[in-house]
Amino acid sequence: MFAAIPKMATKELAPKEDQGVIFGIITAPANATIDDTIRYADAAGKVFQDIPETRFTFQITQPSGGFGGMVLKPWGTRKTPTKNYLPVVQQQLGAIPGIQMFPIMPEALPGSDNFPVSFVIASTASQERILGVGQANFSESDAGPRFSVW
């Protein structure tokens, strides 16, 4: 069954939930001053503010980098999904010369990741039994050439 999953799963199993948020991680040059970084981070903030359905933006800036993002208006007042804005924002942020800013949409569930398939082992069995099942699955998938286990 595990060997068939990559062939059958041509699309994501569940779409990413639209939380109406895009985060951006800012990386500045090693010799940047806070004034330099703020100037370029403000340009990134303008990219977020120029999206018509932006509700508010935020940023934290330090000389070596920072963090920022945008929150879109609630679904009742907007029509465009967040994922449609992500490539637009990414292209515009990529044109800012003094920083690198990588925009992402956060996962809806804690602990989820960006791999196409995730496994959850849930049971009423003891923790030791669940651990044994998990270790057996890990060993078997690690031995095969089709899976990457993290």
Side-chain angles (χ1 to χ4, degrees):
M1 178 179 143
F2 288 121
I5 290 175
K7 293 177 185 171
M8 294 175 7
T10 57
K11 293 186 177 183
E12 60 189 337
L13 299 178
K16 220 175 229 206
E17 183 179 331
D18 189 337
Q19 297 185 49
V21 177
I22 296 178
F23 293 132
I25 300 156
I26 301 169
T27 304
N31 62 348
T33 66
I34 188 69
D35 293 331
D36 293 334
T37 307
I38 286 174
R39 180 174 52 242
Y40 297 117
D42 286 348
K46 182 161 176 17
V47 168
F48 291 136
Q49 291 168 359
D50 286 347
I51 300 294
E53 294 182 321
T54 297
R55 184 174 180 189
F56 64 87
T57 64
F58 55 92
Q59 76 180 37
I60 299 171
T61 309
Q62 57 188 11
S64 62
F67 177 80
M70 63 189 282
V71 176
L72 296 171
K73 295 176 183 174
W75 264 113
T77 59
R78 71 177 163 105
K79 302 281 187 248
T80 307
T82 306
K83 68 179 182 177
N84 290 9
Y85 289 123
L86 191 62
V88 173
V89 167
Q90 188 169 14
Q91 182 180 22
Q92 292 177 7
L93 292 175
I96 299 172
I99 59 170
Q100 291 180 335
M101 189 169 192
F102 182 71
I104 58 168
M105 288 174 46
E107 298 292 338
L109 299 174
S112 60
D113 53 42
N114 289 317
F115 294 108
V117 177
S118 295
F119 293 95
V120 175
I121 301 170
S123 174
T124 56
S126 70
Q127 293 178 353
E128 293 79 18
R129 176 72 178 127
I130 294 171
L131 177 62
V133 170
Q135 289 173 333
N137 284 339
F138 181 85
S139 297
E140 190 161 329
S141 64
D142 199 32
R146 295 194 179 263
F147 291 98
S148 177
V149 179
W150 295 91

